[in-house]
């Protein structure tokens, strides 16, 4: 029934603010049957809060998955390590019962908004969610076994594999690459390898933004010492998107304290970023120094052979036979990030199943028409033209000093797409807009943050980016 919990979790993500989901739902371990579910919380405090504040929400999320009325869904919540006889048994309540706090759908709260909502749920100290520490391979999505290695990423993979060994030579690794080239896959593969190795290594895995969110939560709860203590317990720290720390001095101070303590006791760490250390702006030099104290490496776009291997591996995971001719076509036409290739292949398989036909070249060409032809690569002028059309702007407005929302978003979109789809350096991109490369970094980071949030604004930008990439691909083929 593990798939049932995954479906219920998806429903909960839609119903709750992202901060509430991460703090209260993500740490849970669940067992689901036809009548309801048993939830194991990391401690009694979380169990009691779930019982008193979120029971109705849990029932409503589970009801469509189990095919029951919300009021008939049984939910039992207990704390980890608690004796079954003393567990917190929660009787189902009427569907009309309302939670004590408003949990209206809103998918993109700010860090402070999330903390404010959480503080309504609690006045006592809030523990760092157990979701940041993985002790079982079941919690990791990726592994080294399903990572395609080639000339553009072999050094990063070799270094990551060394970090995953208890007595390896590499203790600190910094990996940078453009979006969608495998940074998260690599970090999670290390976590899985350490978990499967056995032993009692305590692994912390989170993004820099999540670190900041928990730090703010600890500040509000006056639990800074507890926050530090939880990170002092770690043997391995896997932290993603560290460029988020740019310009955030208090966050940097805390991150520096955590990293210094970990390295002082011989712990292992992996940091990932969309930018190399030398491209980071307004980040404390000591923190950058600790990021760079081990191995620095980047990952480039996959070669054609690597793309063929990625597509073949993904097809096998769907138990689908991908003809060589179709694989060759997809690999030659899609040279962007791995997510784009996976998305195209998923669409192709879905359409083939819908039409009850095999994967063939004609069908592949139809699906490819919906994707940017990055192999031909839109040049900067094409990107600029399409950005202007999408946001109703002209090139003069993009290069102006205007801080109007559409101008800023359009400018950041142009930064992001130029970085992703051209070989231009940050300096060269900045020169096109009379901006410094630090401004380009800030703009790309801001746009990536919006895209990562499933907010109204984030979805609007995502649609614009997708449309621009699609049109750029069609224009390139024409």
């Amino acid at each position: 029934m593990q798939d049932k919990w995954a479906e219920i979790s998806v429903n909960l993500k839609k119903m709750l603010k992202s901060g509430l989901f991460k703090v209260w739902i993500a740490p849970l371990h669940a067992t689901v049957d036809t009548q309801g579910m048993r939830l194991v919380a990391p401690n009694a405090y979380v169990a009691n809060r779930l019982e008193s504040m979120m029971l109705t929400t849990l029932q409503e999320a589970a009801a469509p998955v189990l095919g029951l009325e919300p009021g008939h869904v049984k939910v039992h919540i207990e704390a980890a390590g608690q004796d079954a006889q003393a567990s917190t048994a929660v009787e189902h309540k009427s569907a009309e019962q309302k939670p004590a706090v408003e949990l209206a759908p809103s998918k993109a709260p700010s860090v402070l908004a999330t903390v404010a909502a959480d503080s309504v749920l609690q006045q006592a100290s809030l523990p760092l969610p157990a979701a940041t520490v993985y002790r079982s391979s079941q919690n990791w999505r990726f592994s080294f076994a399903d990572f395609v290695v080639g000339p553009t990423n072999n050094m990063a993979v070799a270094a990551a594999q060394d970090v995953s060994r208890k007595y390896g030579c590499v203790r600190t690794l910094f990996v940078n690459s453009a979006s969608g080239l495998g940074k998260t896959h690599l970090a999670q593969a290390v976590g899985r390898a350490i978990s499967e190795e056995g032993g009692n290594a305590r692994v912390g895995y989170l993004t820099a933004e999540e670190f900041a969110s928990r730090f703010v939560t600890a500040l509000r709860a006056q639990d800074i010492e507890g926050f530090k203590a939880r990170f002092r317990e770690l043997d391995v720290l896997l932290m993603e998107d560290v460029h988020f720390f740019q310009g955030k001095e208090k966050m940097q101070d805390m991150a520096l304290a955590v990293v210094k303590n970990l390295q002082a006791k011989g712990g292992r760490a992996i940091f990932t970023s969309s930018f190399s250390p030398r491209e980071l702006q307004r980040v404390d030099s000591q923190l950058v120094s600790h990021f760079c104290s081990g191995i620095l490496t980047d990952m480039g776009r996959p070669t054609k052979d690597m793309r063929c291997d990625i597509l073949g591996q993904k097809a096998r995971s769907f138990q689908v036979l991908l003809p060589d001719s179709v694989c060759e076509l997809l690999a030659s036409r899609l040279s962007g990030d791995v997510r784009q290739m996976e998305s195209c292949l998923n669409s192709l398989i879905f359409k083939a199943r819908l039409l009850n036909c095999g994967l063939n070249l004609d069908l592949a060409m139809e699906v490819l028409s919906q994707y940017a032809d990055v192999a031909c690569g839109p040049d900067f002028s094409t990107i600029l033209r399409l950005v202007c059309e999408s946001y109703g702007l002209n090139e003069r407005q993009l290069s102006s000093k205007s801080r109007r929302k559409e101008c800023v978003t359009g400018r950041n979109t142009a930064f992001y797409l130029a970085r992703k789809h051209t070989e231009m350096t940050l300096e060269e991109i900045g020169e096109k807009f009379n901006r410094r490369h630090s401004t380009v970094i800030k703009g790309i980071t801001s746009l990536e943050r919006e895209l990562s949030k499933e907010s109204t604004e984030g979805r609007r930008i995502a649609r614009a980016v997708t449309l621009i990439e699609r049109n750029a691909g069609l224009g390139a083929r024409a």
Side-chain angles (χ1 to χ4, degrees):
M1 285 283 186
Q2 195 62 32
D3 289 342
K4 296 292 185 183
W5 173 242
E7 293 179 42
I8 294 169
S9 294
V10 170
N11 290 343
L12 286 166
K13 280 186 178 180
K14 295 176 180 178
M15 297 167 70
L16 298 173
K17 293 182 178 181
S18 60
L20 291 175
F21 181 88
K22 290 177 182 177
V23 171
W24 301 102
I25 305 300
L28 301 178
H29 293 280
T31 303
V32 182
D33 58 32
T34 56
Q35 298 301 312
M37 52 191 174
R38 173 178 171 267
L39 304 176
V40 180
N43 54 51
Y45 176 79
V46 175
N48 291 335
R49 286 298 180 181
L50 286 170
E51 175 186 355
S52 60
M53 300 297 182
M54 292 193 185
L55 179 60
T56 300
T57 303
L58 290 166
Q59 289 175 316
E60 290 175 351
V65 177
L66 301 179
L68 300 172
E69 291 295 322
H72 294 159
V73 176
K74 296 180 179 178
V75 181
H76 297 275
I77 306 172
E78 63 184 62
Q82 188 172 311
D83 184 80
Q85 297 298 321
S87 66
T88 306
V90 183
E91 294 297 329
H92 63 272
K93 302 180 181 179
S94 66
E96 289 73 27
Q97 179 181 355
K98 299 297 181 182
V101 294
E102 181 59 43
L103 300 176
S106 175
K107 297 182 179 180
S110 65
V111 170
L112 291 177
T114 298
V115 173
D118 290 344
S119 66
V120 175
L121 290 173
Q122 48 147 59
Q123 294 300 324
S125 164
L126 178 65
L128 185 69
T132 59
V133 179
Y134 293 82
R135 302 180 189 277
S136 167
S137 60
Q138 299 174 15
N139 294 311
W140 302 97
R141 292 171 56 203
F142 304 114
S143 68
F144 286 117
D146 51 23
F147 194 96
V148 174
V149 183
T152 62
N153 62 17
N154 52 10
M155 180 175 173
V157 175
Q161 289 174 329
D162 194 270
V163 172
S164 68
R165 302 185 185 100
K166 187 174 183 180
Y167 300 107
C169 299
V170 181
R171 311 306 287 177
T172 301
L173 172 65
F174 188 102
V175 181
N176 70 275
S177 78
S179 177
L181 297 183
K183 297 188 296 293
T184 294
H185 191 142
L186 204 60
Q188 290 213 10
V190 170
R192 178 186 284 266
I194 293 172
S195 298
E196 292 177 345
E197 185 181 48
N200 298 313
R202 289 160 293 193
V203 184
Y205 172 71
L206 73 171
T207 66
E209 186 169 7
E210 289 170 339
F211 178 91
S213 177
R214 284 160 173 73
F215 176 55
V216 173
T217 300
L219 278 174
R220 289 289 184 90
Q222 298 182 348
D223 187 33
I224 294 299
E225 288 306 314
F227 177 86
K228 292 179 180 178
R230 284 183 285 272
F231 278 95
R232 280 198 293 268
E233 293 173 354
L234 297 179
D235 301 302
V236 184
L237 175 62
L238 312 175
M239 184 178 289
E240 296 212 66
D241 301 330
V242 295
H243 52 272
F244 178 81
F245 288 133
Q246 293 177 122
K248 300 175 175 63
E249 294 182 6
K250 295 294 184 183
M251 307 298 178
Q252 293 174 32
D253 290 343
M254 182 55 66
L256 178 60
V258 167
V259 174
K260 285 176 68 175
N261 176 75
L262 179 73
Q263 293 178 336
K265 68 177 186 179
R268 292 168 278 174
I270 290 184
F271 305 103
T272 74
S273 174
S274 298
F275 307 103
S276 66
R278 65 181 177 81
E279 293 173 330
L280 296 175
Q281 298 292 314
R282 294 182 300 149
V283 178
D284 183 87
S285 59
Q286 286 192 67
L287 183 56
V288 175
S289 175
H290 282 276
F291 285 161
C292 303
S293 61
I295 298 295
L296 302 182
T297 184
D298 64 355
M299 294 194 292
R301 293 178 184 173
T303 63
K304 185 177 179 181
D305 287 342
M306 292 170 67
R307 296 196 294 273
C308 285
D309 290 343
I310 292 168
L311 290 165
Q313 185 181 86
K314 189 68 175 178
R316 287 190 293 274
S317 72
F318 281 102
Q319 298 182 327
V320 169
L321 177 62
L322 184 65
D324 290 342
S325 57
V326 175
C327 185
E328 179 78 14
L329 175 65
L330 297 181
S332 63
R333 299 292 286 274
L334 297 168
S335 61
D337 61 60
V338 177
R339 293 193 192 102
Q340 184 193 50
M341 287 189 287
E342 291 182 345
S343 173
C344 184
L345 182 61
N346 289 343
S347 298
L348 176 60
I349 293 171
F350 181 81
K351 189 165 188 175
R353 287 173 174 169
L354 191 65
L355 299 176
N356 195 27
C357 65
L359 302 182
N360 57 64
L361 288 173
D362 290 338
L363 194 63
M365 286 297 292
E366 288 181 28
V367 173
L368 271 171
S369 68
Q370 304 300 313
Y371 288 83
D373 189 349
V374 183
C376 299
D379 57 21
F380 181 78
S381 61
T382 301
I383 290 173
L384 199 59
R385 174 176 59 81
L386 292 171
V387 168
C388 288
E389 291 175 1
S390 181
Y391 290 97
L393 303 168
N394 57 48
E395 294 185 19
R396 181 180 57 78
Q397 288 173 309
L398 285 185
S399 300
S400 72
K401 300 293 185 181
S402 174
R403 299 300 300 168
R404 190 161 61 91
K405 183 178 179 181
E406 287 301 312
C407 290
V408 173
T409 304
R411 195 179 300 126
N412 290 346
T413 302
F415 293 162
Y416 172 82
L417 292 172
R419 169 79 170 185
K420 181 177 180 182
H421 294 301
T422 74
E423 299 301 320
M424 295 173 66
T425 65
L426 293 170
E427 289 82 359
E428 290 170 339
I429 296 171
E431 287 173 3
K432 295 289 185 180
F433 296 92
N434 300 316
R435 299 297 198 280
R436 292 177 297 181
H437 85 286
S438 59
T439 305
V440 178
I441 293 175
K442 183 179 178 181
I444 294 172
T445 303
S446 175
L447 194 86
E448 287 180 336
R449 189 181 309 129
E450 285 296 337
L451 290 172
S452 68
K453 301 173 183 176
E454 296 183 7
S455 61
T456 301
E457 178 66 9
R459 289 192 295 271
R460 185 179 75 86
I461 294 173
R463 285 194 296 270
V465 168
T466 300
L467 184 62
I468 291 167
E469 289 180 326
R470 184 181 301 168
N471 289 338
L474 290 171
R477 283 194 294 275

